[in-house]
Amino acid sequence: MESRAIPLSMTDLVEQEENLSLSPLWTDIDWNRDGRQDTFLNLEHSVHRSAYGIVPIPVSLFKNGSGPTLLLMAGSHGDEYEGQAILTRLIQSLDADAVSGRIIVLPAVNLPAAMEGSRVSPLDGGNLNRCFGDTFSDNPTSRIADYIANTILPMCDVFFDFHSGGSSLEYVPCTYANVSGDPSKAARTLEALEFMNAPIAWVHQGIPQGPEAGRAAYRSGVVYLSGEFGGGGRVSMQATRVAERAIYRLMSHLKILPLANEWKDESESRLMRASPQHYFYADRDGIFEPAAALGDEVAKGDLSGTILNPETPAQPGTKVLFPASGTWICGRAIGRVRRGDCLGHLLADVSRDEILAAE
Ligand SMILES: [Zn+2]
């Protein structure tokens, strides 16, 4: 006679029901199982040509024993490639047995945007990193944000979110952190940022107010680290190197993975911050011809460049002056500009003591 299964409890039935039902975003991953899993977050996308279609967003999980949980995410903006490349290679090379804790990797989180090489999703025009506000809309991009904010981040201790200047901006590669929350969390965030030892570490203080991923991390009490690793619509070897070094040093700092010799050498690192006065914009259409280079130290009132109009060549150009003193960290990567386009921004040095005193 066949043995009969023990009847399922109501809790089991409810869980099974949840697993089987097609919610707008579902996965077969077991977040608590040791070892590696390479699978997908399946985002429902029902359209004329595919009534029951899904967008399979890749996710890999590496878990071994107890320890912190780190979320590594790239492709929030599809035209920011450095993080997507690094995390793709990391998935291929990481050994789950070498990990102490849990690493969740989303190498192309806004998959439709990543496959299009576009900042925003071709499905709904959604900018994923502007969908993490306190409420979530019912569209594909917001559903991804909702899942990260309300399912993944509550499992995490630290979140590393890879960005760059994308197609329209270019950055001197730098790491970034939201140093906010209670004093111990602020100190832990700053320690992690400093250990990553990037040439420039950009500190943002205060509670994140915008609908960006850092705000969702703040709501969940998760340390938020990021970086602007290049841009200009291409992949820079130098920027990729800075980003990769930062991630392996972070994993070592968190005691998730031992530090390989390749990443051990310390180098000079500057803590810096931005204020709204550091950003400058085009006040007319034309071609912006820079008069300085990214990475230059500049003074308030120095010439950043001139907006020229070849369509009316006899008309004098418009000089654009730097609005503050600092390091020119980010510049526009496209020559043609329209009134309102951001031409770039500066960062200014800040000391560790100044940062901690402000908390
Ligand atoms: Zn971005």
Side-chain angles (χ1 to χ4, degrees), residues 24-28 38-46 49-50 52-60 105-115 123 140 144:
L25 198 155
W26 52 276
T27 178
D28 60 359
D38 302 288
T39 184
F40 300 91
L41 306 178
N42 299 299
L43 172 67
E44 184 193 44
H45 186 54
S46 173
R49 56 157 296 281
S50 184
Y52 295 166
I54 55 167
V55 176
I57 299 167
V59 59
S60 289
V105 192
L106 292 166
V109 64
N110 196 354
L111 188 74
M115 292 183 70
L123 303 185
I144 299 170

Short mmCIF file of all heavy atoms in Angstrom, two decimals, residues 24-28 38-46 49-50 52-60 105-115 123 140 144:
data_model
loop_
_atom_site.label_atom_id
_atom_site.label_comp_id
_atom_site.label_asym_id
_atom_site.label_seq_id
_atom_site.Cartn_x
_atom_site.Cartn_y
_atom_site.Cartn_z
N PRO A 24 2.36 39.50 -9.70
CA PRO A 24 3.00 40.29 -10.77
C PRO A 24 4.50 40.04 -10.88
O PRO A 24 5.10 40.30 -11.91
CB PRO A 24 2.71 41.73 -10.35
CG PRO A 24 1.49 41.64 -9.49
CD PRO A 24 1.59 40.32 -8.77
N LEU A 25 5.12 39.57 -9.80
CA LEU A 25 6.54 39.24 -9.86
C LEU A 25 6.76 38.03 -8.96
O LEU A 25 6.50 38.09 -7.76
CB LEU A 25 7.40 40.43 -9.42
CG LEU A 25 8.87 40.36 -9.85
CD1 LEU A 25 9.48 41.75 -9.92
CD2 LEU A 25 9.68 39.48 -8.96
N TRP A 26 7.25 36.93 -9.53
CA TRP A 26 7.40 35.71 -8.74
C TRP A 26 8.72 35.03 -9.11
O TRP A 26 9.30 35.28 -10.17
CB TRP A 26 6.22 34.76 -8.97
CG TRP A 26 5.94 34.48 -10.40
CD1 TRP A 26 5.19 35.25 -11.24
CD2 TRP A 26 6.43 33.39 -11.18
NE1 TRP A 26 5.17 34.70 -12.49
CE2 TRP A 26 5.91 33.55 -12.49
CE3 TRP A 26 7.21 32.28 -10.90
CZ2 TRP A 26 6.19 32.66 -13.52
CZ3 TRP A 26 7.48 31.38 -11.93
CH2 TRP A 26 6.98 31.58 -13.22
N THR A 27 9.19 34.18 -8.20
CA THR A 27 10.46 33.49 -8.42
C THR A 27 10.44 32.15 -7.71
O THR A 27 9.68 31.96 -6.75
CB THR A 27 11.64 34.34 -7.90
OG1 THR A 27 12.86 33.62 -8.10
CG2 THR A 27 11.51 34.68 -6.43
N ASP A 28 11.28 31.24 -8.17
CA ASP A 28 11.39 29.94 -7.50
C ASP A 28 12.60 29.90 -6.57
O ASP A 28 12.96 28.85 -6.06
CB ASP A 28 11.50 28.80 -8.53
CG ASP A 28 12.71 28.94 -9.44
OD1 ASP A 28 13.47 29.93 -9.29
OD2 ASP A 28 12.91 28.06 -10.29
N ASP A 38 21.02 30.08 -9.50
CA ASP A 38 20.98 31.04 -10.61
C ASP A 38 19.60 30.91 -11.25
O ASP A 38 19.31 29.91 -11.90
CB ASP A 38 22.07 30.72 -11.62
CG ASP A 38 23.46 30.75 -11.00
OD1 ASP A 38 23.94 31.85 -10.68
OD2 ASP A 38 24.02 29.66 -10.79
N THR A 39 18.76 31.90 -11.02
CA THR A 39 17.40 31.80 -11.53
C THR A 39 16.91 33.19 -11.93
O THR A 39 17.72 34.06 -12.27
CB THR A 39 16.50 31.07 -10.49
OG1 THR A 39 15.21 30.91 -11.05
CG2 THR A 39 16.41 31.80 -9.17
N PHE A 40 15.61 33.40 -11.86
CA PHE A 40 15.04 34.64 -12.39
C PHE A 40 13.92 35.16 -11.49
O PHE A 40 13.22 34.37 -10.83
CB PHE A 40 14.48 34.40 -13.81
CG PHE A 40 15.55 33.94 -14.75
CD1 PHE A 40 15.80 32.58 -14.94
CD2 PHE A 40 16.34 34.85 -15.42
CE1 PHE A 40 16.81 32.14 -15.78
CE2 PHE A 40 17.35 34.42 -16.27
CZ PHE A 40 17.58 33.07 -16.45
N LEU A 41 13.79 36.46 -11.46
CA LEU A 41 12.58 37.10 -10.93
C LEU A 41 11.68 37.29 -12.16
O LEU A 41 12.07 37.98 -13.11
CB LEU A 41 12.90 38.46 -10.31
CG LEU A 41 13.99 38.50 -9.23
CD1 LEU A 41 14.19 39.95 -8.76
CD2 LEU A 41 13.64 37.60 -8.06
N ASN A 42 10.55 36.65 -12.15
CA ASN A 42 9.69 36.67 -13.33
C ASN A 42 8.63 37.76 -13.21
O ASN A 42 7.73 37.68 -12.37
CB ASN A 42 9.04 35.30 -13.51
CG ASN A 42 10.08 34.22 -13.71
OD1 ASN A 42 10.85 34.27 -14.67
ND2 ASN A 42 10.15 33.27 -12.79
N LEU A 43 8.80 38.77 -14.02
CA LEU A 43 7.90 39.92 -14.00
C LEU A 43 6.82 39.70 -15.05
O LEU A 43 7.11 39.58 -16.25
CB LEU A 43 8.70 41.19 -14.33
CG LEU A 43 7.94 42.49 -14.54
CD1 LEU A 43 7.28 42.95 -13.24
CD2 LEU A 43 8.88 43.57 -15.07
N GLU A 44 5.59 39.62 -14.60
CA GLU A 44 4.49 39.42 -15.54
C GLU A 44 4.41 40.60 -16.49
O GLU A 44 4.50 41.76 -16.08
CB GLU A 44 3.16 39.29 -14.77
CG GLU A 44 2.01 38.99 -15.68
CD GLU A 44 0.66 39.17 -14.99
OE1 GLU A 44 0.47 40.18 -14.28
OE2 GLU A 44 -0.20 38.31 -15.17
N HIS A 45 4.26 40.30 -17.79
CA HIS A 45 4.11 41.39 -18.77
C HIS A 45 3.18 40.90 -19.87
O HIS A 45 3.59 40.24 -20.83
CB HIS A 45 5.48 41.77 -19.34
CG HIS A 45 5.41 42.96 -20.24
ND1 HIS A 45 4.85 44.17 -19.83
CD2 HIS A 45 5.79 43.15 -21.52
CE1 HIS A 45 4.90 45.03 -20.82
NE2 HIS A 45 5.47 44.44 -21.85
N SER A 46 1.92 41.21 -19.70
CA SER A 46 0.87 40.72 -20.59
C SER A 46 0.58 41.75 -21.66
O SER A 46 0.10 42.85 -21.37
CB SER A 46 -0.39 40.44 -19.74
OG SER A 46 -1.47 40.12 -20.58
N ARG A 49 0.99 40.57 -28.11
CA ARG A 49 1.65 39.43 -28.76
C ARG A 49 2.01 38.33 -27.77
O ARG A 49 2.52 37.28 -28.17
CB ARG A 49 2.91 39.87 -29.51
CG ARG A 49 3.95 40.61 -28.70
CD ARG A 49 5.33 40.51 -29.35
NE ARG A 49 5.78 39.13 -29.38
CZ ARG A 49 6.31 38.49 -28.31
NH1 ARG A 49 6.43 39.12 -27.14
NH2 ARG A 49 6.68 37.25 -28.41
N SER A 50 1.76 38.52 -26.46
CA SER A 50 2.17 37.52 -25.48
C SER A 50 1.31 37.68 -24.23
O SER A 50 1.71 38.36 -23.27
CB SER A 50 3.65 37.70 -25.16
OG SER A 50 4.09 36.69 -24.29
N TYR A 52 0.40 35.78 -21.73
CA TYR A 52 0.91 35.31 -20.44
C TYR A 52 2.42 35.51 -20.34
O TYR A 52 3.12 34.76 -19.66
CB TYR A 52 0.58 33.83 -20.24
CG TYR A 52 -0.90 33.49 -20.15
CD1 TYR A 52 -1.34 32.19 -20.26
CD2 TYR A 52 -1.84 34.50 -19.95
CE1 TYR A 52 -2.69 31.88 -20.18
CE2 TYR A 52 -3.19 34.21 -19.87
CZ TYR A 52 -3.62 32.90 -19.99
OH TYR A 52 -4.95 32.60 -19.92
N GLY A 53 2.95 36.52 -21.02
CA GLY A 53 4.40 36.72 -21.09
C GLY A 53 5.02 37.14 -19.77
O GLY A 53 4.35 37.68 -18.88
N ILE A 54 6.31 36.84 -19.65
CA ILE A 54 7.08 37.30 -18.49
C ILE A 54 8.37 37.95 -18.97
O ILE A 54 8.85 37.69 -20.07
CB ILE A 54 7.45 36.13 -17.54
CG1 ILE A 54 8.20 35.02 -18.28
CG2 ILE A 54 6.23 35.60 -16.80
CD1 ILE A 54 8.87 34.01 -17.36
N VAL A 55 8.91 38.82 -18.12
CA VAL A 55 10.26 39.36 -18.29
C VAL A 55 11.12 38.66 -17.25
O VAL A 55 10.98 38.90 -16.06
CB VAL A 55 10.28 40.89 -18.06
CG1 VAL A 55 11.70 41.42 -18.16
CG2 VAL A 55 9.36 41.59 -19.04
N PRO A 56 12.01 37.72 -17.66
CA PRO A 56 12.82 36.98 -16.68
C PRO A 56 14.07 37.76 -16.28
O PRO A 56 15.04 37.84 -17.03
CB PRO A 56 13.17 35.68 -17.42
CG PRO A 56 13.03 36.00 -18.87
CD PRO A 56 12.25 37.28 -19.04
N ILE A 57 14.04 38.35 -15.10
CA ILE A 57 15.15 39.19 -14.61
C ILE A 57 16.13 38.29 -13.86
O ILE A 57 15.76 37.65 -12.87
CB ILE A 57 14.60 40.28 -13.67
CG1 ILE A 57 13.62 41.18 -14.43
CG2 ILE A 57 15.73 41.09 -13.05
CD1 ILE A 57 12.79 42.08 -13.53
N PRO A 58 17.40 38.21 -14.30
CA PRO A 58 18.33 37.27 -13.67
C PRO A 58 18.65 37.64 -12.22
O PRO A 58 18.81 38.83 -11.89
CB PRO A 58 19.59 37.37 -14.54
CG PRO A 58 19.48 38.67 -15.26
CD PRO A 58 18.02 38.96 -15.41
N VAL A 59 18.70 36.61 -11.39
CA VAL A 59 19.11 36.79 -9.99
C VAL A 59 19.97 35.59 -9.61
O VAL A 59 19.65 34.45 -9.98
CB VAL A 59 17.90 36.94 -9.04
CG1 VAL A 59 16.98 35.74 -9.08
CG2 VAL A 59 18.36 37.18 -7.59
N SER A 60 21.07 35.84 -8.93
CA SER A 60 21.89 34.75 -8.40
C SER A 60 22.04 34.94 -6.91
O SER A 60 22.11 36.07 -6.41
CB SER A 60 23.28 34.75 -9.06
OG SER A 60 23.18 34.33 -10.40
N VAL A 105 22.69 38.78 -6.10
CA VAL A 105 23.23 39.55 -7.23
C VAL A 105 22.14 39.74 -8.29
O VAL A 105 21.57 38.78 -8.80
CB VAL A 105 24.44 38.84 -7.88
CG1 VAL A 105 25.14 39.79 -8.84
CG2 VAL A 105 25.42 38.34 -6.82
N LEU A 106 21.88 41.00 -8.60
CA LEU A 106 20.95 41.37 -9.69
C LEU A 106 21.78 42.15 -10.72
O LEU A 106 21.97 43.36 -10.58
CB LEU A 106 19.83 42.25 -9.14
CG LEU A 106 18.84 41.59 -8.18
CD1 LEU A 106 18.00 42.64 -7.45
CD2 LEU A 106 17.92 40.64 -8.95
N PRO A 107 22.31 41.48 -11.76
CA PRO A 107 23.24 42.16 -12.66
C PRO A 107 22.57 43.06 -13.70
O PRO A 107 23.25 43.89 -14.31
CB PRO A 107 23.95 41.00 -13.35
CG PRO A 107 22.95 39.89 -13.35
CD PRO A 107 22.16 40.05 -12.08
N ALA A 108 21.28 42.90 -13.92
CA ALA A 108 20.58 43.70 -14.94
C ALA A 108 19.14 43.88 -14.45
O ALA A 108 18.20 43.34 -15.02
CB ALA A 108 20.61 43.00 -16.29
N VAL A 109 19.00 44.64 -13.37
CA VAL A 109 17.74 44.62 -12.63
C VAL A 109 16.57 45.17 -13.43
O VAL A 109 15.47 44.64 -13.36
CB VAL A 109 17.90 45.29 -11.24
CG1 VAL A 109 18.25 46.77 -11.38
CG2 VAL A 109 16.67 45.09 -10.40
N ASN A 110 16.80 46.25 -14.17
CA ASN A 110 15.72 46.70 -15.06
C ASN A 110 16.01 46.10 -16.44
O ASN A 110 16.48 46.79 -17.35
CB ASN A 110 15.62 48.23 -15.10
CG ASN A 110 14.27 48.68 -15.69
OD1 ASN A 110 13.49 47.84 -16.16
ND2 ASN A 110 14.00 49.97 -15.66
N LEU A 111 15.76 44.81 -16.56
CA LEU A 111 16.19 44.04 -17.75
C LEU A 111 15.75 44.67 -19.07
O LEU A 111 16.56 44.76 -20.00
CB LEU A 111 15.71 42.59 -17.64
CG LEU A 111 16.27 41.69 -18.74
CD1 LEU A 111 17.73 41.37 -18.49
CD2 LEU A 111 15.46 40.40 -18.84
N PRO A 112 14.49 45.11 -19.19
CA PRO A 112 14.11 45.71 -20.48
C PRO A 112 14.98 46.91 -20.84
O PRO A 112 15.38 47.08 -22.00
CB PRO A 112 12.64 46.12 -20.26
CG PRO A 112 12.16 45.19 -19.17
CD PRO A 112 13.35 45.03 -18.26
N ALA A 113 15.31 47.75 -19.86
CA ALA A 113 16.17 48.91 -20.11
C ALA A 113 17.59 48.46 -20.43
O ALA A 113 18.25 49.01 -21.32
CB ALA A 113 16.17 49.84 -18.90
N ALA A 114 18.08 47.44 -19.69
CA ALA A 114 19.44 46.95 -19.92
C ALA A 114 19.60 46.38 -21.32
O ALA A 114 20.60 46.62 -21.99
CB ALA A 114 19.80 45.89 -18.87
N MET A 115 18.59 45.63 -21.78
CA MET A 115 18.69 45.03 -23.12
C MET A 115 18.57 46.08 -24.22
O MET A 115 19.04 45.88 -25.34
CB MET A 115 17.64 43.93 -23.28
CG MET A 115 17.95 42.75 -22.36
SD MET A 115 16.82 41.38 -22.54
CE MET A 115 17.27 40.78 -24.17
N LEU A 123 9.34 49.48 -21.82
CA LEU A 123 7.97 48.98 -21.58
C LEU A 123 7.03 50.09 -21.13
O LEU A 123 5.87 50.12 -21.50
CB LEU A 123 7.98 47.87 -20.52
CG LEU A 123 8.85 46.65 -20.79
CD1 LEU A 123 8.63 45.60 -19.71
CD2 LEU A 123 8.56 46.09 -22.17
N PRO A 140 5.28 48.00 -14.91
CA PRO A 140 6.38 47.04 -14.79
C PRO A 140 7.58 47.56 -13.99
O PRO A 140 8.11 46.85 -13.13
CB PRO A 140 6.77 46.77 -16.25
CG PRO A 140 5.51 47.00 -17.02
CD PRO A 140 4.81 48.13 -16.31
N ILE A 144 9.12 46.18 -10.16
CA ILE A 144 10.48 45.75 -9.82
C ILE A 144 10.93 46.48 -8.55
O ILE A 144 11.47 45.87 -7.61
CB ILE A 144 11.45 46.04 -10.99
CG1 ILE A 144 11.04 45.27 -12.24
CG2 ILE A 144 12.89 45.69 -10.59
CD1 ILE A 144 11.82 45.69 -13.50
#
